[in-house]
Amino acid sequence: MSALDPREELAQRLGIPVPAPRFTSPGALSLALAEQDYLSSSAISSVTYLADRLAKPILVEGPAGTGKTALAKAVAQASGARLIRLQCYEGLDEGKALYEWNYRKQLLRIQASGQGDVDQWSALEADIFSEEFLLTRPLLEAIRADEPVVLLIDEIDRVELETEALLLEILSEYQVSIPEMGTVKARQIPMVFLTSNNTRELSEALKRRCLYLYLDYPDVQRERDIIVARVPGITTVLATHIAEVVHSLRRMELKKSPSVSETLDWARTLVLLGRAELDDAFVVETLHLLLKYQADIEKAARTFAAPGA
Amino acid sequence: MLDLLSGFVAELRTVGLPVSMTEHVDAARALEVIDLGDRTTLQQALRAVLVKNGAHLETFDHTFALYFGHRFAPLDSDDDVETMPATSSPSPAPPSPSANELDTALLEALDAGDLGALRASASLAVDRYAGIEKGRPVGASYYLYRTMRHLNIDEVEQQVAERRLGDDASPLEQRLAEDYAAEAVAAFRDAVEQEIIDRLVDERGVEAMVKATRESLPEDVDVMLANRESLEAIEAVLAPLGKKLAARLAQKRRRRRRGPVDMRRTMRESLSTGGVPLDIRFRPPRPSKPEIVVIADMSGSVASFARFTLLLMHALSSEFAKVRTFVFVDGVDEVTHLFDEERDPTVAADRIANEAAMIAADGHSDYGRVFRAFADRYADAVHPRSTLLILGDARSNYHPPEPEVFAATARRARRVYWLNPEPQAYWRSGDSVLDAYAEACDEVRECRTLRQLEQFVMGLS
């Protein structure tokens, strides 16, 4: 193959040594995540592995509470990297995401230098636009870090379409252009996760630069394993039963299906109450831990009471 | 392999998935990194690189099954795949198990949820029951139906559920067992379908199969021509679409215009910069939400289109000051209250057919009569702040159109739009009276697919 490995190509452009892949295979990745109590599916581990090998960001989408953010955290821990998190919100701008000039400090510097002539001014100008006066925000920080970094851009769908454009340079070139200073290139290739709850369509430009991972609710086996891993003192039998009930709830048409974190809450409650098994009345009594709408609770109780319908 | 990938990408584009050139390149690179011998890995990798929208995953999987499904007999990764010998040389009549053996094996496999065993059973079932005839031009769904009917699958599902239950099972346990059985059977059905597709691809070649089974994306399906399955698919994407559009409309409204300068906040802000107002603050603009009046033709030919549009408008109702809904065939009735009473708009839409009095005479659309009745009874619904939306094909069964009545109503509205689910080429043929009304409308739009509807709604606010 004449084509350069994408990691080599990127490293060459950034002028850094080619980093070793973080994980040797999807299987190894999945084991490393399991040590962090994050149970991945085969889709999760192969896409994450691929993202590392291709040096591309991952866009993770799916319903709330399926472990999108947890995935980034677990990968950071498993690879021994620092997690830098940018929480997105409406109105997020360059100054909060990328970098900002500390203009109060600049103002002080100008006042301190007193009245000067033209020569002094140009020296001063070069001075006040130097690193000392730069406030780094998460994106720039991820680029400038020397140690390995996992960058998590959380809920990207909350920012406006125009703000997305801020991310494009960083996501594809791993560099940031600051007009007064020039281009800041990455010192290592950060692993980037973007999460989205799909409240709006992201721009084509952004999607094109990312790999896409759709995280749906786990199947019964995986959810059972998650419960066993996360809830101390639970029996496998009870965990299986819990997973089955939750799975059955998700098959109904509800306003809001129970998320994995709600399942875990429920499981913890059952352990605290010392239940070894589930019975019908008890399930119906504690449905409010899983479902957050009265209409949903009523519907579920009705459905559980009358099978075959 | 690269040629194969190009063919695959081209097919995805034909179906309507937006695959860019960079993504194609990325896919080729991904192939170098992953283990090509494993079908799931390949599928997951290509999916991550080529598909960027959750709603497109199903279409991708369908196409993937056609292109790559049958290639995962034992395969060397760097082999030229195109020259793979067809594996379905006349199969020496397999020692076919009896119907009973097959049934038991299937039950065991379903009960254990063992995918390998399920696939084996699927393969046997297809051998035995599908009766695939070479050269017969029927689709996979025909063979699927035949296999499943011979297996008596509903009964099997029941048996699977029963096997998992003890004697005194509580209702909840029963419910769980039923859910389990339904899912196991669905997995089996998928396995059978894949098996049939594989065999058909072997027989007819990828290109022919791809052409025969190509499906449009839900948002591109022509609503007037859609079958029941596609209609269900469309309805499934409606709710998320509504949410997305509402968010986008809200955002658009908020950022469209700034309000007047807010002196108080500007002064307050300037304190941190020594009294120099560097940042000027504005008051938020007063949101102007349009009031919508929908008049929808519910006669047979355009009913499903009207249903989708009503569902979408009500999903968006938070973005409008008010939505009033009227339905008609040859009489007109208001159904706004149904949408107010029901939390779930789909239930409200279901109730329209039974509860609205939209037939006044013979049950054939009569636009002239409807507009006259509307002007008589609901004239107050339309005023200078309302946007009037007419949904219908304007086929009035040769009744007089009475355009002057419509024009009088239209003049009182702020804007008037006519959405026609018929292809534009047919508009002026037969009993279409669209021309008579077009003049009074600000715009007459062809609106055959969800995508066109989406574009229209975005322009509304």
PDB file of all heavy atoms in Angstrom, chain B residues 114-126:
ATOM      1  N   ASP B 114     -29.626 -18.634  20.997  1.00  0.00           N
ATOM      2  CA  ASP B 114     -28.310 -18.892  20.431  1.00  0.00           C
ATOM      3  C   ASP B 114     -28.312 -18.502  18.949  1.00  0.00           C
ATOM      4  O   ASP B 114     -28.984 -19.119  18.146  1.00  0.00           O
ATOM      5  CB  ASP B 114     -28.007 -20.388  20.608  1.00  0.00           C
ATOM      6  CG  ASP B 114     -26.702 -20.774  19.958  1.00  0.00           C
ATOM      7  OD1 ASP B 114     -26.072 -19.905  19.330  1.00  0.00           O
ATOM      8  OD2 ASP B 114     -26.321 -21.952  20.076  1.00  0.00           O
ATOM      9  N   LEU B 115     -27.537 -17.465  18.617  1.00  0.00           N
ATOM     10  CA  LEU B 115     -27.586 -16.930  17.256  1.00  0.00           C
ATOM     11  C   LEU B 115     -27.110 -17.941  16.216  1.00  0.00           C
ATOM     12  O   LEU B 115     -27.702 -18.078  15.147  1.00  0.00           O
ATOM     13  CB  LEU B 115     -26.722 -15.675  17.160  1.00  0.00           C
ATOM     14  CG  LEU B 115     -27.480 -14.355  17.256  1.00  0.00           C
ATOM     15  CD1 LEU B 115     -26.535 -13.200  17.041  1.00  0.00           C
ATOM     16  CD2 LEU B 115     -28.606 -14.312  16.233  1.00  0.00           C
ATOM     17  N   GLY B 116     -26.044 -18.670  16.542  1.00  0.00           N
ATOM     18  CA  GLY B 116     -25.504 -19.643  15.599  1.00  0.00           C
ATOM     19  C   GLY B 116     -26.550 -20.697  15.261  1.00  0.00           C
ATOM     20  O   GLY B 116     -26.796 -21.005  14.091  1.00  0.00           O
ATOM     21  N   ALA B 117     -27.183 -21.216  16.311  1.00  0.00           N
ATOM     22  CA  ALA B 117     -28.199 -22.245  16.105  1.00  0.00           C
ATOM     23  C   ALA B 117     -29.387 -21.684  15.330  1.00  0.00           C
ATOM     24  O   ALA B 117     -29.978 -22.359  14.488  1.00  0.00           O
ATOM     25  CB  ALA B 117     -28.661 -22.788  17.453  1.00  0.00           C
ATOM     26  N   LEU B 118     -29.712 -20.427  15.611  1.00  0.00           N
ATOM     27  CA  LEU B 118     -30.818 -19.796  14.882  1.00  0.00           C
ATOM     28  C   LEU B 118     -30.520 -19.742  13.396  1.00  0.00           C
ATOM     29  O   LEU B 118     -31.380 -20.030  12.559  1.00  0.00           O
ATOM     30  CB  LEU B 118     -31.039 -18.374  15.394  1.00  0.00           C
ATOM     31  CG  LEU B 118     -32.053 -18.177  16.509  1.00  0.00           C
ATOM     32  CD1 LEU B 118     -32.312 -16.708  16.722  1.00  0.00           C
ATOM     33  CD2 LEU B 118     -33.351 -18.881  16.163  1.00  0.00           C
ATOM     34  N   ARG B 119     -29.274 -19.348  13.073  1.00  0.00           N
ATOM     35  CA  ARG B 119     -28.906 -19.255  11.657  1.00  0.00           C
ATOM     36  C   ARG B 119     -28.991 -20.624  10.999  1.00  0.00           C
ATOM     37  O   ARG B 119     -29.468 -20.750   9.874  1.00  0.00           O
ATOM     38  CB  ARG B 119     -27.499 -18.688  11.502  1.00  0.00           C
ATOM     39  CG  ARG B 119     -27.444 -17.240  11.859  1.00  0.00           C
ATOM     40  CD  ARG B 119     -26.396 -16.465  11.058  1.00  0.00           C
ATOM     41  NE  ARG B 119     -26.360 -15.115  11.581  1.00  0.00           N
ATOM     42  CZ  ARG B 119     -25.432 -14.681  12.439  1.00  0.00           C
ATOM     43  NH1 ARG B 119     -24.438 -15.468  12.794  1.00  0.00           N
ATOM     44  NH2 ARG B 119     -25.475 -13.458  12.896  1.00  0.00           N
ATOM     45  N   ALA B 120     -28.524 -21.634  11.711  1.00  0.00           N
ATOM     46  CA  ALA B 120     -28.582 -22.992  11.151  1.00  0.00           C
ATOM     47  C   ALA B 120     -30.031 -23.394  10.888  1.00  0.00           C
ATOM     48  O   ALA B 120     -30.362 -23.899   9.816  1.00  0.00           O
ATOM     49  CB  ALA B 120     -27.916 -23.972  12.117  1.00  0.00           C
ATOM     50  N   SER B 121     -30.897 -23.129  11.865  1.00  0.00           N
ATOM     51  CA  SER B 121     -32.310 -23.453  11.681  1.00  0.00           C
ATOM     52  C   SER B 121     -32.893 -22.672  10.515  1.00  0.00           C
ATOM     53  O   SER B 121     -33.686 -23.198   9.735  1.00  0.00           O
ATOM     54  CB  SER B 121     -33.117 -23.104  12.931  1.00  0.00           C
ATOM     55  OG  SER B 121     -32.696 -23.866  14.004  1.00  0.00           O
ATOM     56  N   ALA B 122     -32.500 -21.401  10.416  1.00  0.00           N
ATOM     57  CA  ALA B 122     -33.008 -20.570   9.323  1.00  0.00           C
ATOM     58  C   ALA B 122     -32.639 -21.189   7.991  1.00  0.00           C
ATOM     59  O   ALA B 122     -33.462 -21.283   7.078  1.00  0.00           O
ATOM     60  CB  ALA B 122     -32.448 -19.162   9.436  1.00  0.00           C
ATOM     61  N   SER B 123     -31.384 -21.631   7.905  1.00  0.00           N
ATOM     62  CA  SER B 123     -30.913 -22.213   6.656  1.00  0.00           C
ATOM     63  C   SER B 123     -31.722 -23.467   6.317  1.00  0.00           C
ATOM     64  O   SER B 123     -32.155 -23.654   5.185  1.00  0.00           O
ATOM     65  CB  SER B 123     -29.428 -22.535   6.798  1.00  0.00           C
ATOM     66  OG  SER B 123     -29.005 -23.271   5.700  1.00  0.00           O
ATOM     67  N   LEU B 124     -31.941 -24.308   7.325  1.00  0.00           N
ATOM     68  CA  LEU B 124     -32.733 -25.525   7.104  1.00  0.00           C
ATOM     69  C   LEU B 124     -34.158 -25.188   6.691  1.00  0.00           C
ATOM     70  O   LEU B 124     -34.719 -25.789   5.773  1.00  0.00           O
ATOM     71  CB  LEU B 124     -32.758 -26.362   8.377  1.00  0.00           C
ATOM     72  CG  LEU B 124     -31.438 -27.052   8.716  1.00  0.00           C
ATOM     73  CD1 LEU B 124     -31.558 -27.787  10.038  1.00  0.00           C
ATOM     74  CD2 LEU B 124     -31.071 -28.027   7.603  1.00  0.00           C
ATOM     75  N   ALA B 125     -34.738 -24.214   7.396  1.00  0.00           N
ATOM     76  CA  ALA B 125     -36.124 -23.853   7.114  1.00  0.00           C
ATOM     77  C   ALA B 125     -36.260 -23.361   5.676  1.00  0.00           C
ATOM     78  O   ALA B 125     -37.231 -23.688   4.985  1.00  0.00           O
ATOM     79  CB  ALA B 125     -36.580 -22.784   8.095  1.00  0.00           C
ATOM     80  N   VAL B 126     -35.270 -22.580   5.232  1.00  0.00           N
ATOM     81  CA  VAL B 126     -35.340 -22.074   3.862  1.00  0.00           C
ATOM     82  C   VAL B 126     -35.229 -23.232   2.873  1.00  0.00           C
ATOM     83  O   VAL B 126     -35.960 -23.302   1.889  1.00  0.00           O
ATOM     84  CB  VAL B 126     -34.237 -21.020   3.626  1.00  0.00           C
ATOM     85  CG1 VAL B 126     -34.180 -20.637   2.163  1.00  0.00           C
ATOM     86  CG2 VAL B 126     -34.491 -19.797   4.479  1.00  0.00           C
TER      87      VAL B 126
END
